Amino acid sequence: DFLFDVGANEGQFVKELRYYGFKHKVISFEPLIEAHKRLTINSKDDSNWKIYKRVAIGNKNSQNTINVSKNSVSSSILEINKEHTDNAPDSKFISQQSIEEKRLEDIFNELDIKEKNLFLKIDTQGYEDQVLEGAEKILKNFKGILIEVSLTELYKEQKNWLDIVKKIESYGFKIWSIDRGFTNKSNGKTLQADLVFFRNN
């Protein structure tokens, strides 16, 4: 009954949830200037959808820089690898923006959350492990996690997806579903996948 939408871009994920009938509370986080503006506009008529100030979620509270891709959705704090741009030319970086980075556990403690069934969605283009590091103290509060992982290194120095799975499982979660995402155009190899985890208790 309360969704944390980390890496919201313009709110595509939440709009899809609304289409399928999810009516409960959402808080979205997005660091890009233009995407955050569009996100704010897209949520303005939805009283259960709150937009946090423009911020990147990670493992520290500091200033950082994000690389902005032509298609916006592939933007990342990390550098992009050639396999990514070869298969999605619009993912190439065209500029950079200065951003604030905050740990999710610090934001969580700012919020007055009374709901008990919390769900965490993470889509941060290679920065997923840093998001988890900054949320370790609060992961026990969530019943489920949806996380996009790269099955090959699409961004430089990103954490291996199997290590991310092991980390999430170490907090009592088990994989519930796996959905293929971004694929190699020439050979059909899956490059990214969406993993959903739920806790047993």
Side-chain angles (χ1 to χ4, degrees), residues 115-152:
E115 288 77 14
K116 300 299 182 185
N117 294 308
L118 310 183
F119 192 90
L120 175 60
K121 167 256 183 181
I122 304 172
D123 183 358
T124 50
Q125 304 304 308
Y127 214 61
E128 294 79 20
D129 188 63
Q130 288 86 341
V131 173
L132 291 169
E133 283 184 3
E136 287 183 343
K137 294 179 181 177
I138 60 168
L139 286 180
K140 65 181 182 298
N141 294 285
F142 291 90
K143 297 291 181 68
I145 298 174
L146 184 156
I147 187 167
E148 182 188 73
V149 296
S150 300
L151 304 185
T152 188

Side-chain angles (χ1 to χ4, degrees), residues 64-197:
N64 207 335
T65 300
I66 191 167
N67 302 294
V68 182
S69 66
K70 184 177 180 181
N71 66 11
S72 179
V73 297
S74 298
S75 303
S76 178
I77 290 172
L78 304 180
E79 292 291 332
I80 201 165
N81 275 335
K82 187 174 182 295
E83 185 168 10
H84 197 311
T85 53
D86 283 349
N87 286 281
D90 280 354
S91 67
K92 67 180 180 180
F93 293 155
I94 58 173
S95 65
Q96 291 184 321
Q97 292 176 7
S98 296
I99 55 170
E100 179 184 4
E101 180 176 339
K102 291 190 72 172
R103 298 187 307 171
L104 190 62
E105 60 192 39
D106 295 320
I107 294 173
F108 186 89
N109 292 328
E110 296 172 6
L111 305 174
D112 181 22
I113 301 173
K114 297 180 174 60
E115 288 77 14
K116 300 299 182 185
N117 294 308
L118 310 183
F119 192 90
L120 175 60
K121 167 256 183 181
I122 304 172
D123 183 358
T124 50
Q125 304 304 308
Y127 214 61
E128 294 79 20
D129 188 63
Q130 288 86 341
V131 173
L132 291 169
E133 283 184 3
E136 287 183 343
K137 294 179 181 177
I138 60 168
L139 286 180
K140 65 181 182 298
N141 294 285
F142 291 90
K143 297 291 181 68
I145 298 174
L146 184 156
I147 187 167
E148 182 188 73
V149 296
S150 300
L151 304 185
T152 188
E153 191 181 86
L154 297 179
Y155 295 91
K156 295 177 181 177
E157 299 182 358
Q158 70 179 121
K159 197 77 168 181
N160 181 278
W161 71 277
L162 285 172
D163 292 332
I164 291 175
V165 169
K166 291 175 184 176
K167 175 176 283 189
I168 295 174
E169 289 180 335
S170 74
Y171 285 90
F173 293 88
K174 292 185 181 296
I175 288 183
W176 184 74
S177 71
I178 302 173
D179 290 313
R180 294 181 68 189
F182 181 40
T183 59
N184 185 304
K185 293 179 179 179
S186 61
N187 60 23
K189 174 186 174 184
T190 301
L191 303 178
Q192 286 180 327
D194 291 328
L195 311 182
V196 176
F197 297 79

Side-chain angles (χ1 to χ4, degrees), residues 23-34:
K23 295 178 169 53
H24 297 290
K25 291 183 180 180
V26 176
I27 183 166
S28 291
F29 303 89
E30 172 57 41
L32 294 180
I33 295 171
E34 290 303 319

